[in-house]
Amino acid sequence: DWEEFVTQPYIEEAEKQDFKERISKVEGSTDNPESSAVGKYQHLWNSHKDKIKEITGVTTKDEYRNNKKAQEKYQNFLIEDYNRAADEIQNKFKDATIDKNITKALVHFLGESDTELYIKILLKTKDENKAQEAVDNSIRERTKKEPPKNMKVSEYLAKFAE
């Protein structure tokens, strides 16, 4: 249909901007001294710096912190990966109705594997605390450190949905 063809790109762009605003609202823009997170979307510099350099040309954390255009460019790049990850995760849990934007927000906050773990445990137990505990244990095993003192997943999603 012609009308859908004309309006679809604008709808997709508006949805992407809304998603980005919700993420930035939850994340804030203050750097956490206990984390390498930086910028409007609190990208983990230590985890993302090579890809940030590849996508934006920015080579230092300070330069990235002060370059809003680079932060937007990188977040736009990540959204494509969030879409892919959300589709794959939702495919694994076909019997559950999970909002794609919620899944994408979880991927931003937890990463793909911990998002899948959180959803799996939540669907199995119907207990947010058990799902949170499973994610915290996953982070401990992977990093050999205590999980960051971030907000709980349920708090993150509540702020995302405001």
Side-chain angles (χ1 to χ4, degrees):
D1 167 83
W2 181 83
E3 188 176 300
E4 184 178 311
F5 174 76
V6 171
T7 58
Q8 190 59 34
Y10 298 105
I11 292 168
E12 288 172 8
E13 183 59 27
E15 288 172 351
K16 181 169 77 173
Q17 293 306 319
D18 179 63
F19 177 79
K20 287 169 47 179
E21 286 306 311
R22 288 175 181 277
I23 291 292
S24 70
K25 179 181 68 173
V26 177
E27 295 287 354
S29 347
T30 42
D31 292 347
N32 177 347
E34 295 182 27
S35 168
S36 71
V38 63
K40 182 177 180 179
Y41 304 104
Q42 292 294 281
H43 298 132
L44 293 173
W45 180 256
N46 293 344
S47 300
H48 292 264
K49 64 184 170 190
D50 293 337
K51 200 53 130 171
I52 288 171
K53 182 178 179 182
E54 178 186 327
I55 300 300
T56 70
V58 171
T59 59
T60 69
K61 184 177 178 181
D62 284 337
E63 182 184 358
Y64 189 66
R65 176 184 297 110
N66 297 315
N67 189 328
K68 305 297 182 213
K69 192 172 180 181
Q71 293 172 32
E72 294 300 326
K73 186 174 185 176
Y74 190 63
Q75 185 63 29
N76 288 338
F77 165 79
L78 286 177
I79 286 174
E80 295 309 312
D81 192 51
Y82 297 165
N83 283 325
R84 176 205 53 76
D87 288 342
E88 288 179 12
I89 290 167
Q90 288 181 310
N91 258 349
K92 290 179 181 174
F93 303 105
K94 287 181 184 166
D95 295 339
T97 304
I98 306 167
D99 181 80
K100 186 169 182 176
N101 278 332
I102 294 296
T103 306
K104 288 166 38 180
L106 284 172
V107 171
H108 179 88
F109 185 55
L110 299 173
E112 190 171 342
S113 62
D114 284 338
T115 295
E116 188 175 329
L117 175 64
Y118 184 85
I119 292 171
K120 176 183 170 185
I121 301 299
L122 186 60
L123 291 173
K124 183 179 176 182
T125 66
K126 310 286 189 254
D127 186 331
E128 290 177 347
N129 291 324
K130 287 183 179 170
Q132 181 72 54
E133 188 178 316
V135 167
D136 289 347
N137 287 335
S138 171
I139 292 168
R140 274 186 206 96
E141 288 174 22
R142 193 174 55 258
T143 66
K144 310 295 184 234
K145 297 180 193 172
E146 280 302 303
K149 291 179 176 84
N150 289 342
M151 59 183 99
K152 291 182 177 184
V153 173
S154 57
E155 295 168 325
Y156 189 91
L157 292 178
K159 284 188 178 230
F160 177 82
E162 284 178 353

